[in-house]
Amino acid sequence: MACRTCLWLLGTTFFTCTVRLVVEGTEVGATQESHPEPGVVGSNHSQAGGGHGSSISGIQIVTFKWHHVEAPYLIALWILVAGVSKMVVELNHSLTSVIPESALLIIIGWILGGIIYGADKMQTFTLTPTVFFFYLLPQVILDAGYFMPNKLFFSNMGAILVYAVIGTCWNAATVGLGLWGCWLGGAMGDIDIGLLQFLLFGSLIAAVDPVAVIAVFEEVHVNEVLFIMVFGESLLNDGVTVVLFNVFDAFVSLGGAEIDAVEIIKGIISFFVVAFGGSLVGIIFALLISLLTRCTKNIQIIEPGFIFILGYLSYLTAEMLSLSAILSIVFCGICCQKYINANMDERSVTTVRYVMKVLANGSETIIFVFLGISAIDPAVWVWNTGFILLTLLFIFVFRFIGVFLLTWILNKYRLVPLEFIDQVVMSYGGLRGAVAYGLVAMLDENKFKEKNLMVSTTLIVVYFTVMLQGITMKPLVTWLKVKRAAVTELTLAEKIQNRTFDHMLVAIEDISGQIGHNYMRDKWHNFEERWLCWFLMKPSARKSRDYIFNIFHQLNLKDAMSYVKEGERRGSLAFVRNETKADVDFNKKFRASFSEIMPDIMADNMGPDHVPLSSILQDIVPSVCLDMHEQDLTMRESEDFNAHHLLQQHLYRGRKQHRHRYSRSHLETNRDENEVQEIFQRTMRSRLESFKSAKMGVAPAKKIQTKHQKKDKPQKMPNGNSSDKSKNHPYGDKDFEFSEGDGGSGGEAAGDLFPMRAYRVEAGIVNPAFMAEMDPMDNMQQIPHVALLPQTLNSFDT
Amino acid sequence: MGASQSVRTEHEFQDVADRTGFSLEQIGNLNKRFRQLSKNEETLSRQDLASISALDNNPLRAQIINAFFDKRNLRENEAGTVQVIGFEEFLMVMSHFRPAAMHITEEEREKLRREKLRFVFNMHDTDSDGTITLEEYRRAVEELLSKAGTIGQETAKAIADAAMLEVASTTRGKMEPDEFYEGITFENFLQILKTFDIETRMHIRFLNMDTATMRCGK
């Protein structure tokens, strides 16, 4: 299979080249081939018309119109090639665990570059700065901003800024000056270069690259503080890089003589303007996005589009104003994530997440493949041993020195000092990548005589860091015993404790009169709740934002899903039980009006692996034919009862086939309210029965329960809990909590989701069918609520 | 009280410093704050703490204030609460939130951890019987989530129940049908929060400078 895909990959590239050659060959006339700049193609051929044939002999049934589709065809083809490369790379997992994917992609790029070069005798496809900065980089950064763990980011913001600003300046200065010194000393031979050019080169090679950092650290899973430091630095240092690059570029144009104090001061001011201006642009666009999503209730189908367009616009706007585009799009993503996740429909949120990931991953792949391809071009290669080796040495050594120095200073002010080992990894993780290459390719050859030397050096530096440092990162991390990321999700209890700690710390700070981190955070939190959420969130979204509640809700959903799966596994008949005497009236509850809070709770961001329940249900639930089951049933059950009645009550009804309405704006399939109600009834019934069988003499209790449920429907809406909470009282309370009358949960149905929400954590497993065999439970151990129930319910006899 | 009575000698401060681990400047600042809160009296009462306006929004307000007057936190091994506390007791409660020194042994770190967690445990265990029963936990969760606004009481109860179930399953595993889960003991509590980096999660940087005046009002 690997061979096949490799062959296919090679075949695709061959196809590209041969198509071009063939087309060239069939061209009448000696005009040069035309390759308009679609983006991916960066050749130097000029535009030419493709005059086909002067005389038409008859009607041509089929014509080969290559030029017609050339540009988009090539782009699409290259995207396909990049995707297939990624597939090839991922074929062998043992390989990817040793060598990071980015390194393998670069190698594939080399191979492809070699093929193309062999076919064309020149490198027709390279990574041009325009394509890179306008079409490939924005989505990677938007993805980084959107998925950024805000709390972690902002609590370490001080340290991140120190590394990003001061660290990058330090790196740029030392590398530039170091190289200059060595040049003066003659280590590089005779090259046409000056101090300013060295400084410019230093500034573009000094910046840590976000794409490379993501690509390498993704495989390594270091602890989150360390990761956020390196990652945050790589994002925020763009502010510095842009300024330094522009300033030194201007200086080089001006010439050394024109530089005086005024210019330098202007340079420093421009840093603040660029950095803060860029962030401000990003924040403004974030506000725009949030406001937009607040009003898009009626066009939910295109909601996700807004995010991407506005994110891209924030990038371009900042670029237009010569501010830091990366900072802009990062802050756009960071600031809007909370509000759009609250405002948008759940499906839109999922769409945004997945599309974001697709775009970012795709871009990353293309970037690395092209980084490889661009190297196979003898035209750009200039080898100067001194320059290259010294650059490598300096960036490595000065990074270490810089990080250690800054950390030493920072540790005096940090609550949690950064350990030595973390510092080592942070220094080692200062990877350079495509951004540096993009910047160096933007240099003007006329001003920079040694541009090719710089390009070659940059490529070598990128390869060195991405490949060598990437490969050795994991072993290093393991060898140094760096603290790794916590793999397990926090349990509910831990999350509650987390919240407790937060509040406790704020309170102690208040009492002791200290102004601290927590005080600030609390103030911001209050401000945000009062003003920002009011302004930016839909009213319905505002009510259901609480973090712990969302966790709880997610857990309920998870339990519900496993309940369904388990039911499927056993066949629906597992739910069949004795006829229940209790006549629970579910109908009224169902039709009770429920507040609009319910649907919007679904819209909240559920976390990375949340899959909408509705889609799962539709996959899992089979269409059961009643006739067939009737046969089975009579065979299994020995009791005498009305099979039809039983079926009607206990089985899934055959689900109607989904009638897909062809519509561009509605993705829904039909949802039958009866279906939904039936599920709910069945499960409620089974719970009642199991409870009855688990405890003796409960019948009276049940009746009271029932009465309660009948009583309080409309009021008891907004909570995700089912009514049987009151009867499955786990903790040994002396009386069943009928007094609470919390029967309300049944009413929230607006779709398939709600009856599932009516499950409490105990819900699914109460079923006696499950209790007989404990083994299946073990599969569910990972969900403590689920696993726990059979035992605990029995243990709470009062 | 007269000014002379409120002036502590260096020597006394030093004593307290050794016991609680604060530095002298920090003690000085906290003393000033204590004076401010207690309106220059020798002792602090519940009323004084309750009058801090900044605490109004805090869902854990009542519990924190109680924690100050809880004898268990004052290094006395008895249950019950006191009515007023002096400066030393104030410091003792505050010392639970001190950051760990950089170079301490594993044992000391463990001891520090237990102390801090003990404080939190005591806060939840309101009847001082050594276990956090479901009722207590429920109340804690309700109060915690009460300021969130939309979470109803039932939901908070459900969350508390779910969390309790989790704890029971992780600490006790499968239980026999007739076993009864009384509540979370201190050992269980430690176990649940094993992964928490408590020394860093639960500390406040006590500044050496006086920031009490920098905050508007109290």
Side-chain angles (χ1 to χ4, degrees):
Chain A
M1 196 192 115
C3 307
R4 250 185 285 149
T5 18
C6 282
L7 281 176
W8 192 31
L9 181 63
L10 296 179
T12 331
T13 3
F14 269 121
F15 175 70
T16 324
C17 309
T18 43
V19 156
R20 275 199 50 251
L21 290 175
V22 163
V23 169
E24 272 175 68
T26 58
E27 272 288 302
V28 177
T31 49
Q32 273 187 323
E33 194 48 83
S34 73
H35 290 287
E37 279 259 320
V40 182
V41 180
S43 77
N44 298 326
H45 288 167
S46 55
Q47 185 82 16
H52 265 287
S54 32
S55 56
I56 302 176
S57 43
I59 297 178
Q60 297 198 287
I61 297 176
V62 173
T63 48
F64 185 68
K65 295 197 273 192
W66 169 245
H67 286 298
H68 207 54
V69 298
E70 182 173 356
Y73 203 97
L74 280 173
I75 297 177
L77 207 57
W78 272 113
I79 298 179
L80 178 66
V81 165
V84 172
S85 322
K86 189 165 171 120
M87 204 163 71
V88 168
V89 161
E90 291 289 345
L91 277 176
N92 192 343
H93 269 281
S94 53
L95 189 62
T96 44
S97 56
V98 173
I99 308 182
E101 189 187 291
S102 38
L104 290 169
L105 285 170
I106 292 182
I107 295 177
I108 291 194
W110 287 342
I111 301 175
L112 289 177
I115 297 175
I116 297 178
Y117 185 75
D120 278 356
K121 295 291 174 280
M122 63 165 288
Q123 192 54 262
T124 38
F125 305 106
T126 52
L127 186 66
T128 51
T130 327
V131 170
F132 175 67
F133 280 115
F134 286 154
Y135 302 112
L136 291 176
L137 189 62
Q139 47 267 47
V140 180
I141 310 292
L142 182 62
D143 170 76
Y146 184 75
F147 287 103
M148 177 78 76
N150 274 358
K151 187 162 173 197
L152 196 59
F153 182 67
F154 283 110
S155 39
N156 288 304
M157 183 64 123
I160 294 178
L161 276 175
V162 165
Y163 286 118
V165 177
I166 304 182
T168 313
C169 287
W170 159 267
N171 279 336
T174 49
V175 170
L177 290 174
L179 284 174
W180 179 61
C182 291
W183 173 66
L184 284 180
M188 296 176 203
D190 196 18
I191 47 180
D192 181 9
I193 202 167
L195 168 64
L196 288 170
Q197 302 196 6
F198 273 122
L199 284 173
L200 178 66
F201 180 68
S203 69
L204 63 88
I205 202 83
V208 179
D209 183 75
V211 181
V213 164
I214 298 177
V216 170
F217 273 75
E218 186 176 41
E219 332 243 325
V220 181
H221 301 295
V222 293
N223 66 70
E224 48 185 25
V225 174
L226 180 54
F227 175 70
I228 204 74
M229 290 287 182
V230 183
F231 188 52
E233 180 196 343
S234 70
L235 287 174
L236 295 187
N237 66 21
D238 181 63
V240 181
T241 312
V242 164
V243 172
L244 286 177
F245 187 79
N246 288 331
V247 161
F248 284 123
D249 200 29
F251 281 176
V252 168
S253 310
L254 285 177
E258 303 285 332
I259 301 174
D260 55 0
V262 178
E263 301 295 329
I264 296 184
I265 292 181
K266 275 207 270 184
I268 296 180
I269 294 180
S270 79
F271 162 69
F272 286 103
V273 169
V274 162
F276 287 108
S279 318
L280 197 64
V281 169
I283 294 178
I284 292 176
F285 273 90
L287 286 175
L288 271 175
I289 296 181
S290 314
L291 281 175
L292 254 178
T293 49
R294 196 183 157 165
C295 319
T296 51
K297 192 168 170 136
N298 299 323
I299 45 164
Q300 276 173 357
I301 202 73
I302 58 169
E303 253 181 338
F306 284 120
I307 318 293
F308 295 100
I309 291 296
L310 280 170
Y312 192 46
L313 274 178
S314 79
Y315 185 85
L316 292 177
T317 311
E319 189 70 36
M320 173 179 78
L321 299 171
S322 72
L323 304 171
S324 166
I326 291 186
L327 277 183
S328 162
I329 203 172
V330 161
F331 277 99
C332 180
I334 285 179
C335 297
C336 77
Q337 46 165 265
K338 180 170 169 188
Y339 305 108
I340 59 180
N341 287 339
N343 278 342
M344 289 201 297
D345 182 51
E346 175 187 309
R347 288 164 299 183
S348 301
V349 173
T350 315
T351 310
V352 168
R353 268 215 296 275
Y354 276 104
V355 174
M356 194 87 82
K357 282 292 176 198
V358 168
L359 288 177
N361 265 299
S363 282
E364 211 181 284
T365 315
I366 298 179
I367 291 176
F368 281 117
V369 169
F370 270 87
L371 267 180
I373 294 181
S374 309
I376 313 295
D377 189 1
V380 300
W381 281 99
V382 176
W383 185 268
N384 183 325
T385 324
F387 193 87
I388 294 178
L389 288 179
L390 282 171
T391 310
L392 279 174
L393 179 71
F394 285 151
I395 59 168
F396 197 69
V397 166
F398 285 123
R399 166 100 184 143
F400 267 84
I401 298 178
V403 167
F404 276 84
L405 205 62
L406 288 174
T407 318
W408 177 70
I409 299 177
L410 271 177
N411 275 345
K412 296 191 199 291
Y413 298 103
R414 275 177 66 84
L415 270 181
V416 183
L418 282 166
E419 300 171 25
F420 174 76
I421 303 230
D422 285 345
Q423 293 171 42
V424 168
V425 179
M426 225 186 326
S427 328
Y428 199 69
L431 309 172
R432 274 67 171 179
V435 174
Y437 177 74
L439 286 173
V440 87
M442 278 195 330
L443 293 176
D444 184 359
E445 282 108 9
N446 303 322
K447 280 192 294 183
F448 295 88
K449 298 287 187 294
E450 297 292 336
K451 175 183 169 180
N452 282 333
L453 173 61
M454 292 196 207
V455 169
S456 322
T457 317
T458 311
L459 277 174
I460 295 199
V461 166
V462 170
Y463 294 148
F464 184 82
T465 55
V466 171
M467 298 176 85
L468 251 134
Q469 282 180 241
I471 293 177
T472 51
M473 180 72 81
K474 214 171 186 187
L476 184 76
V477 161
T478 332
W479 178 55
L480 290 178
K481 300 199 197 31
V482 175
K483 229 177 1 172
R484 307 296 278 264
V487 187
T488 51
E489 267 271 304
L490 290 181
T491 61
L492 192 60
E494 285 170 325
K495 289 188 168 118
I496 294 181
Q497 280 313 120
N498 248 333
R499 182 70 73 85
T500 313
F501 285 138
D502 283 338
H503 286 300
M504 203 163 53
L505 291 179
V506 175
I508 296 287
E509 277 192 0
D510 285 335
I511 293 180
S512 66
Q514 311 275 333
I515 294 185
H517 236 242
N518 299 293
Y519 174 67
M520 293 294 176
R521 199 165 27 142
D522 200 51
K523 277 267 167 305
W524 162 255
H525 200 62
N526 289 338
F527 166 73
E528 195 204 356
E529 290 216 12
R530 264 190 82 196
W531 297 104
L532 288 181
C533 291
W534 168 83
F535 184 50
L536 295 172
M537 281 202 207
K538 281 200 292 213
S540 44
R542 251 180 270 146
K543 294 185 202 151
S544 45
R545 278 179 288 114
D546 190 75
Y547 167 69
I548 289 199
F549 179 75
N550 290 343
I551 304 293
F552 179 62
H553 171 61
Q554 266 173 275
L555 291 172
N556 273 348
L557 283 179
K558 254 200 272 185
D559 287 346
M561 291 200 295
S562 21
Y563 181 61
V564 170
K565 278 196 206 135
E566 186 60 25
E568 288 310 308
R569 208 178 64 82
R570 295 161 157 279
S572 312
L573 288 178
F575 293 111
V576 172
R577 275 292 138 190
N578 284 337
E579 187 74 32
T580 173
K581 301 280 189 313
D583 186 8
V584 183
D585 179 80
F586 295 104
N587 295 326
K588 261 204 209 159
K589 206 183 313 194
F590 234 68
R591 295 213 188 98
S593 64
F594 36 85
S595 80
E596 64 161 344
I597 289 181
M598 289 300 118
D600 291 308
I601 287 189
M602 297 304 167
D604 286 343
N605 182 13
M606 303 297 185
D609 40 45
H610 171 73
V611 180
L613 188 57
S614 43
S615 61
I616 295 218
L617 280 183
Q618 276 153 16
D619 290 335
I620 291 177
V621 171
S623 298
V624 172
C625 171
L626 279 177
D627 298 330
M628 188 179 68
H629 274 269
E630 201 164 324
Q631 319 270 356
D632 283 336
L633 194 53
T634 42
M635 284 192 310
R636 291 201 203 190
E637 293 296 332
S638 52
E639 274 134 340
D640 182 19
F641 48 79
N642 188 339
H644 177 69
H645 187 49
L646 187 74
L647 287 171
Q648 206 179 13
Q649 286 186 330
H650 291 278
L651 284 183
Y652 285 113
R653 294 230 177 87
R655 308 241 173 250
K656 293 199 186 101
Q657 291 306 314
H658 299 133
R659 286 199 306 259
H660 294 279
R661 289 189 302 181
Y662 178 70
S663 154
R664 301 202 73 179
S665 53
H666 288 284
L667 281 181
E668 273 129 296
T669 53
N670 289 332
R671 285 190 238 164
D672 184 10
E673 190 188 287
N674 290 337
E675 208 171 281
V676 148
Q677 185 175 354
E678 170 254 316
I679 301 174
F680 181 67
Q681 285 182 26
R682 187 179 45 71
T683 49
M684 283 302 293
R685 208 158 306 218
S686 56
R687 262 191 251 136
L688 289 173
E689 286 147 10
S690 64
F691 190 68
K692 180 171 76 167
S693 60
K695 296 175 170 284
M696 301 303 167
V698 155
K702 216 172 8 164
K703 290 224 195 70
I704 303 176
Q705 167 69 31
T706 322
K707 231 196 306 186
H708 252 274
Q709 288 178 338
K710 278 202 183 127
K711 252 199 288 193
D712 49 358
K713 262 118 353 204
Q715 305 88 304
K716 289 306 177 161
M717 282 316 87
N719 61 65
N721 306 301
S722 70
S723 41
D724 52 73
K725 192 157 39 78
S726 41
K727 69 172 157 67
N728 295 339
H729 212 303
Y731 289 94
D733 272 20
K734 297 307 167 196
D735 36 280
F736 292 114
E737 319 246 327
F738 297 130
S739 46
E740 262 122 44
D742 50 350
S745 58
E748 313 112 26
D752 333 321
L753 292 173
F754 294 98
M756 295 307 156
R757 290 179 85 241
Y759 287 108
R760 264 222 47 211
V761 279
E762 289 101 307
I765 319 306
V766 175
N767 198 306
F770 290 172
M771 289 166 90
E773 302 153 58
M774 284 304 134
D775 303 87
M777 289 305 108
D778 294 345
N779 302 344
M780 297 198 240
Q781 278 300 334
Q782 15 125 9
I783 308 172
H785 334 279
V786 163
L788 175 58
L789 297 168
Q791 307 89 322
T792 47
L793 282 177
N794 285 330
S795 59
F796 300 127
D797 280 359
T798 50
Chain B
M1 308 284 162
S4 57
Q5 280 175 307
S6 57
V7 169
R8 300 275 205 124
T9 61
E10 274 287 314
H11 168 69
E12 287 178 34
F13 269 174
Q14 188 59 48
D15 190 33
V16 172
D18 291 333
R19 260 189 298 149
T20 54
F22 283 116
S23 75
L24 286 176
E25 299 93 355
Q26 290 169 339
I27 293 189
N29 287 329
L30 287 172
N31 193 25
K32 271 202 221 131
R33 178 66 176 167
F34 184 80
R35 293 287 154 200
Q36 189 186 14
L37 287 176
S38 69
K39 301 182 193 43
N40 264 325
E41 309 207 352
E42 277 289 328
T43 57
L44 197 62
S45 73
R46 279 213 169 93
Q47 234 352 77
D48 298 325
L49 280 184
S51 62
I52 301 177
S53 55
L55 277 184
D56 285 343
N57 283 332
N58 199 316
L60 290 184
R61 183 170 177 256
Q63 299 189 359
I64 296 272
I65 295 182
N66 275 335
F68 272 89
F69 296 92
D70 193 336
K71 277 200 200 153
R72 287 173 296 172
N73 292 332
L74 302 177
R75 310 278 168 85
E76 300 166 34
N77 289 328
E78 22 181 287
T81 59
V82 292
Q83 287 306 106
V84 291
I85 53 172
F87 181 56
E88 270 193 47
E89 284 96 10
F90 183 71
L91 275 187
M92 250 192 279
V93 174
M94 284 294 181
S95 72
H96 283 105
F97 292 89
R98 236 180 0 95
M102 282 283 271
H103 310 287
I104 59 176
T105 66
E106 225 11 78
E107 273 179 29
E108 286 178 30
R109 199 179 286 281
E110 188 55 35
K111 193 159 132 331
L112 198 63
R113 210 182 134 76
R114 283 184 82 96
E115 250 177 52
K116 296 196 182 207
L117 283 175
R118 186 89 222 176
F119 182 83
V120 182
F121 187 80
N122 289 342
M123 212 168 69
H124 287 316
D125 182 20
T126 45
D127 59 1
S128 313
D129 62 355
T131 54
I132 303 178
T133 62
L134 179 70
E135 264 315 304
E136 291 168 346
Y137 199 63
R138 267 202 194 144
R139 232 177 295 134
V141 172
E142 269 172 37
E143 282 203 28
L144 188 64
L145 299 179
S146 59
K147 288 292 185 320
T150 58
I151 297 198
Q153 217 200 12
E154 296 81 12
T155 316
K157 252 172 33 112
I159 294 177
D161 291 349
M164 200 68 162
L165 284 176
E166 261 182 19
V167 173
S169 71
T170 48
T171 54
R172 291 276 285 271
K174 288 193 177 161
M175 290 189 288
E176 295 306 310
D178 48 6
E179 265 187 77
F180 183 65
Y181 187 67
E182 311 83 12
I184 310 179
T185 63
F186 186 54
E187 293 308 317
N188 292 347
F189 197 67
L190 283 180
Q191 202 179 344
I192 310 166
L193 298 183
K194 201 167 27 173
T195 56
F196 265 44
D197 195 12
I198 194 76
E199 304 87 24
T200 60
R201 197 73 182 76
M202 193 171 140
H203 78 242
I204 293 186
R205 197 201 346 247
F206 287 98
L207 305 171
N208 284 339
M209 21 173 259
D210 181 12
T211 52
T213 47
M214 275 157 65
R215 294 167 52 135
C216 337
K218 279 198 186 172

